[in-house]
Amino acid sequence: MNNQMSDEKKVKLWDFPVRLFHWALVVAIVTAWWTNQQLMIDIHAIAGYSVLALVLFRIIWGFVGSSNARFASFIKGPDKVIGYAIKVPNGSISDLTYAGHNPAGGWMVVVLIVLVGIQAVSGLFASEDTFLFFDGPLVAHVSSDLASTMNWIHHTNINLIYAMVGLHVFAALFYLVVKRENLIGAMVTGARMVPAEIADKFAKIRFASPIVGVAILVICGLAVWAMVTAARG
Ligand code: HEM
Ligand code: HEM
């Protein structure tokens, strides 16, 4: 116990495409937020298209990516989520550590992906008619009722994103400060230190080819670009 470091092992946790997705998503969302404040609507739209491409990629990667990136590996029933949540206050790191998202974190991931996906899609139908005079690329293709509903969604859903991102970052900092677990570093480098007795769990992760991941991401980017170009006619 008094020499904990020697009982720790470095293990690989997140593949490159998941890490690229995460930090590119953060940059794109912050850019979309900031450019809205600055009334830079063209860059706002580009940041939003990037979010859409990233979300499309992540959905595909959730089926064909590394084993711990797959939805099936981290979407757990309420019994597991509650069981995990009860363990958090007093549980040891060995108890709380999963070779992927924990059962509570897994749902946070789903919620974040859905919310940012809704934001990006609703943006395609959003308009600003007062002084920027900007229409999302799909506004011209739908009824004005649908466009105004999507516009409302775009302006409302952002508040859910603020709340959930706040909770998400709070949770990451909680693990860092209270549990002394650096999950953030793992999302940057892909690796983390874990108690040696649980290192086996990580040896079982099957990593998918990062080149395939990046190729899928590029294709998603091209698909979004083609859709926007076609919609603008
Ligand atoms: C716009 C803000 C953010 C969004 C939308 C976001 C979204 C996400 C998503 C979707 C995942 C799941 C990753 C995957 O499996 O693909 C994730 C994981 C993660 N994020 Fe964020 N994130 C944001 C900001 C941050 C920030 C600022 C930090 C650091 C303080 C952070 C730390 C983490 C960590 C540590 C994980 C992995 C959690 C685990 O080990 O289960 N995120 N985030
Ligand atoms: C996930 C990506 C996106 C985020 C985080 C985001 C965020 C925001 C935010 C915070 C606002 C201001 C809402 C308010 O003041 O109540 C906004 C407005 C707007 N967004 Fe987005 N947006 C995204 C994607 C898009 C896309 C893809 C488009 C269109 C191509 C778009 C078009 C617009 C328009 C036209 C407005 C109205 C501007 C205004 O009322 O001043 N957004 N967005």
Side-chain angles (χ1 to χ4, degrees), residues 130-148:
T130 327
F131 50 100
L132 298 171
F133 302 104
F134 177 91
D135 277 349
L138 297 185
V139 172
H141 300 272
V142 297
S143 70
S144 62
D145 272 3
L146 179 57
S148 72

Side-chain angles (χ1 to χ4, degrees), residues 18 21-22 26 58 101 109 112-113 165 168-169 183-184 187:
V18 164
F21 158 78
H22 184 266
V26 174
R58 189 60 184 89
H101 299 299
V109 172
L112 285 169
I113 292 173
V165 166
H168 172 66
V169 174
L183 306 180
I184 304 166
M187 200 30 99

Side-chain angles (χ1 to χ4, degrees), residues 147-158:
S148 72
T149 305
M150 294 298 239
N151 200 47
W152 178 83
I153 291 173
H154 198 68
H155 285 75
T156 308
N157 182 62
I158 188 66

